[in-house]
C-alpha cells in the first residue's frame, strides 16, 4: 500500500469490553512500532517488532495490553477489559531497517 | 530516563514571521534528535533530524542545530506560511540513525497556527 494503514479509524468501547486495533504496515517494512498518544500529549512507546519477533514490550502499561505480528506483516494491538484511562489515539509506525519511520493516521479509542 | 521538553503552545504567528520552537532534552549517551510534524488529519511525518553534536538538520525551510552543551534542538524557520500550521513534536532516540530498533521519546508537541 501507499502508507501505513490503521483500522478502525475510530472505536468506541464500553468499559470492560475487549478491543482489537489493526495495523497494516508498508509492504516489506521490517520494523513495526505501536505508540499511545493521550490528548494533548506526545506519543508514548508501547512495543516494537522486528519481523514477527516482539523485541521490546517495555511500554505496555499493563497485562491487559497485548500485541502480535504473527507473520511479520500485519499487527494487532489488543486491549482487554478496557478502562477509561485507555482512551487515546493508538499510532502504528513501520520502517525498513534503520530508515525513517512512517506513521499511520492512528485509531482513536474512546472508552465510555 | 530520557525526556524531551518543548515549549507549550499554541504559537500564533502572522505569515512571514520568524518561528522558534524551543526543545531541550535529557538523555544518557549521545542521542539522535528529531522534529516530527503532524498536519491536520494526517499522520506524524519526519521533518528533520540530527545525529551528532553541532549537526544541523534542515528541510522545507525549517532547521534545527544539535547543541550538546545546552542539550537543545530548537526548531526555526525564517518566514512561516499558512501551510505550516500543524503540531510539531521534538523527539530523541538513543541508538540508531532514525530511531528504528529503539523507541522514540517525544515531547508533548507545540501547535503552530499561522494567519494571513
Amino acid at each position: 500500500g501507499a502508507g501505513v494503514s490503521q483500522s478502525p479509524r475510530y472505536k468506541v468501547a464500553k468499559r470492560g469490553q475487549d478491543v482489537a486495533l489493526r495495523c497494516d504496515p508498508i509492504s516489506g517494512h521490517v520494523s513495526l512500532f505501536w505508540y499511545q498518544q493521550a490528548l494533548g500529549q506526545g506519543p508514548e512507546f508501547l512495543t516494537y517488532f522486528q519481523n514477527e519477533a516482539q523485541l521490546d514490550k517495555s511500554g505496555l502499561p499493563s497485562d491487559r495490553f497485548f500485541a502480535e505480528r504473527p507473520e511479520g506483516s500485519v499487527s494487532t494491538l489488543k486491549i482487554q477489559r478496557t478502562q477509561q484511562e485507555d482512551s487515546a489515539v493508538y499510532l502504528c509506525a513501520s520502517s525498513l531497517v534503520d530508515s525513517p519511520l512512517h506513521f499511520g493516521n492512528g485509531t482513536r479509542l474512546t472508552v465510555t | 530516563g530520557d525526556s524531551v521538553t518543548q515549549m507549550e503552545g499554541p504559537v500564533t504567528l502572522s505569515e512571514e514571521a520568524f518561528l522558534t520552537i524551543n526543545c531541550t532534552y535529557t538523555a544518557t549517551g549521545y542521542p539522535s534528535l528529531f522534529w516530527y510534524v503532524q498536519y491536520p488529519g494526517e499522520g506524524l511525518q519526519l521533518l528533520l533530524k540530527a545525529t551528532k553534536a553541532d549537526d544541523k538538520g534542515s528541510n522545507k525551510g525549517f532547521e534545527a542545530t544539535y547543541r550538546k552543551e545546552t542539550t537543545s534542538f530548537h526548531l526555526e524557520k525564517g518566514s512561516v506560511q499558512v501551510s505550516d500550521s500543524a503540531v510539531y513534536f521534538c523527539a530523541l532516540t538513543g541508538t540508531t540513525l532514525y530511531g528504528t530498533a529503539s523507541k522514540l521519546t517525544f515531547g508533548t508537541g507545540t501547535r503552530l497556527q499561522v494567519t494571513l
Side-chain angles (χ1 to χ4, degrees):
Chain A
V4 177
S5 178
Q6 293 188 244
S7 59
R9 188 77 176 88
Y10 302 94
K11 177 69 179 177
V12 178
K14 287 186 171 17
R15 191 172 60 181
Q17 283 185 330
D18 298 349
V19 298
L21 312 180
R22 178 186 169 102
C23 173
D24 279 272
I26 294 172
S27 178
H29 278 195
V30 169
S31 299
L32 187 144
F33 293 79
W34 284 98
Y35 286 83
Q36 180 191 57
Q37 186 175 14
L39 189 64
Q41 302 297 312
E44 292 196 0
F45 171 82
L46 292 177
T47 187
Y48 161 63
F49 290 86
Q50 185 169 313
N51 296 307
E52 68 278 5
Q54 189 174 20
L55 299 186
D56 187 344
K57 54 182 181 179
S58 62
L60 295 177
S62 78
D63 59 8
R64 296 185 296 103
F65 286 70
F66 172 76
E68 61 184 5
R69 194 186 185 198
E71 297 178 359
S73 179
V74 171
S75 178
T76 303
L77 177 67
K78 297 179 180 178
I79 309 173
Q80 297 177 322
R81 304 181 304 281
T82 52
Q83 304 295 313
Q84 284 193 314
E85 62 263 28
D86 300 334
S87 296
V89 175
Y90 290 85
L91 298 171
C92 178
S94 71
S95 76
L96 298 168
V97 174
D98 205 24
S99 297
L101 289 176
H102 296 259
F103 281 84
N105 287 350
T107 293
R108 183 178 297 278
L109 173 65
T110 303
V111 181
T112 61
Chain B
D2 296 348
S3 67
V4 175
T5 302
Q6 56 183 112
M7 62 188 290
E8 289 191 19
V11 173
T12 303
L13 295 173
S14 298
E15 202 171 45
E16 299 183 2
F18 184 86
L19 168 71
T20 300
I21 300 178
N22 289 339
C23 171
T24 58
Y25 67 90
T26 302
T28 54
Y30 303 95
S32 294
L33 303 174
F34 306 82
W35 278 99
Y36 280 81
V37 59
Q38 188 170 34
Y39 297 103
E42 298 184 17
L44 281 164
Q45 302 173 26
L46 178 63
L47 180 60
L48 54 84
K49 67 173 179 66
T51 58
K52 61 183 187 298
D54 300 325
D55 264 4
K56 179 184 284 189
S58 61
N59 186 24
K60 300 181 181 180
F62 291 89
E63 58 183 35
T65 301
Y66 188 142
R67 300 285 187 204
K68 191 170 186 301
E69 63 276 13
T70 54
T71 61
S72 65
F73 193 55
H74 305 320
L75 182 68
E76 297 182 334
K77 186 174 186 182
S79 177
V80 293
Q81 306 299 311
V82 171
S83 58
D84 295 327
S85 298
V87 181
Y88 292 82
F89 293 90
C90 186
L92 67 82
T93 186
T95 56
T96 57
L97 191 65
Y98 283 98
T100 55
S102 175
K103 57 187 178 183
L104 281 163
T105 299
F106 285 89
T108 54
T110 302
R111 182 176 299 279
L112 170 65
Q113 184 165 355
V114 181
T115 59
L116 290 171

